[in-house]
Amino acid sequence: NAGVTQTPKFQVLKTGQSMTLQCAQDMNHEYMSWYRQDPGMGLRLIHYSVGAGITDQGEVPNGYNVSRSTTEDFPLRLLSAAPSQTSVYFCASSIDRNQPQHFGDGTRLSIL
Amino acid sequence: DQQVKQNSPSLSVQEGRISILNCDYTNSMFDYFLWYKKYPAEGPTFLISISSIKDKNEDGRFTVFLNKSAKHLSLHIVPSQPGDSAVYFCAASATGGTSYGKLTFGQGTILTVHP
């Protein structure tokens, strides 16, 4: 039982490049979410999903896309990377939105 | 607008003593509160939660207190151990309305427990 797995752990991009951050969970959780953590600001919700085929925006969605084609996977896409998107990204999942979330170990992303 | 605030960036405590971490919130719709613990290079780990129908919840050395009128919650760790040294985040959500289930986090407090 791996829990929530995020790949890659580290990534450096150039401004304007696109990439996908992967997130997979093996706990059959319906609720999945993406956060970014910046110094002094805690974690902020980017996008979330309450089940396969259903996604919605969080607090800071601009510049990011998500899709949820399966229960297990919830990838986060950066369409055109900007230096302001330099951050640590965390994926999380829970049985439903009112249960504590399990977090992956994060992806540290630097945009040059 | 920071809806969840942890006003102490850091806290230093001696091993065996009590650690008290504080959190304030402004959104009166929040009715479910959680504490997470985070070690470097790892994701946050759920510690303890409390719903607004209670004012206290205990789990071993960890107790969370909720004061709804003051919009304040606190986490007590007794006794503190060096392994408790980590960043602690409080988080809040609403179990209804447009913010249903969306977690809002505080900025975190770095706890250091000295042997």
Side-chain angles (χ1 to χ4, degrees):
Chain A
N1 188 340
V4 178
T5 303
Q6 291 185 238
T7 55
K9 293 191 184 305
F10 303 95
Q11 185 71 48
V12 179
L13 291 178
K14 294 182 179 178
T15 298
Q17 287 185 314
S18 63
M19 82 159 293
T20 299
L21 279 62
Q22 302 291 344
C23 175
Q25 52 90 10
D26 60 1
M27 298 173 282
N28 201 31
H29 286 172
E30 290 295 326
Y31 186 83
M32 296 187 74
S33 54
W34 276 101
Y35 296 85
R36 60 178 288 173
Q37 184 190 9
D38 301 296
M41 300 190 72
L43 283 80
R44 292 181 293 168
L45 181 64
I46 304 171
H47 285 285
Y48 67 97
S49 169
V50 298
I54 307 169
T55 64
D56 205 346
Q57 297 181 351
E59 182 185 353
V60 288
N62 292 341
Y64 307 96
N65 272 2
V66 292
S67 60
R68 184 98 179 269
S69 56
T70 67
T71 299
E72 295 77 21
D73 300 296
F74 191 43
L76 178 72
R77 296 183 188 84
L78 279 71
L79 308 173
S80 177
S84 61
Q85 294 177 304
T86 293
S87 188
V88 182
Y89 291 84
F90 290 101
C91 178
S93 73
S94 57
I95 294 172
D96 63 52
R97 62 172 97 192
N98 280 330
Q99 297 298 318
Q101 295 178 35
H102 300 255
F103 283 80
D105 284 338
T107 294
R108 186 174 295 274
L109 184 63
S110 294
I111 316 284
L112 304 178
Chain B
D1 176 31
Q2 192 84 27
Q3 296 187 65
V4 178
K5 292 183 182 179
Q6 295 175 253
N7 291 317
S8 298
S10 62
L11 175 67
S12 183
V13 170
Q14 207 66 32
E15 181 179 5
R17 307 295 288 267
I18 185 171
S19 295
I20 300 177
L21 296 99
N22 294 303
C23 180
D24 297 295
Y25 62 97
T26 58
N27 189 337
S28 57
M29 295 297 294
F30 289 152
D31 56 4
Y32 182 55
F33 305 90
L34 309 92
W35 284 94
Y36 282 86
K37 174 180 177 180
K38 185 183 181 302
Y39 293 118
E42 294 184 9
T45 302
F46 169 69
L47 204 52
I48 192 169
S49 65
I50 188 167
S51 73
S52 60
I53 61 172
K54 301 175 74 173
D55 54 18
K56 177 182 173 181
N57 189 27
E58 284 181 86
D59 185 2
R61 297 185 297 113
F62 302 92
T63 302
V64 56
F65 296 91
L66 176 62
N67 182 334
K68 291 184 287 293
S69 60
K71 294 190 176 67
H72 177 83
L73 65 155
S74 61
L75 175 68
H76 292 210
I77 306 173
V78 184
S80 301
Q81 300 172 353
D84 295 329
S85 297
V87 180
Y88 289 78
F89 292 98
C90 70
S93 70
T95 54
T98 56
S99 297
Y100 179 33
K102 298 181 187 179
L103 276 184
T104 300
F105 282 83
Q107 307 97 306
T109 297
I110 301 170
L111 173 65
T112 304
V113 180
H114 299 281

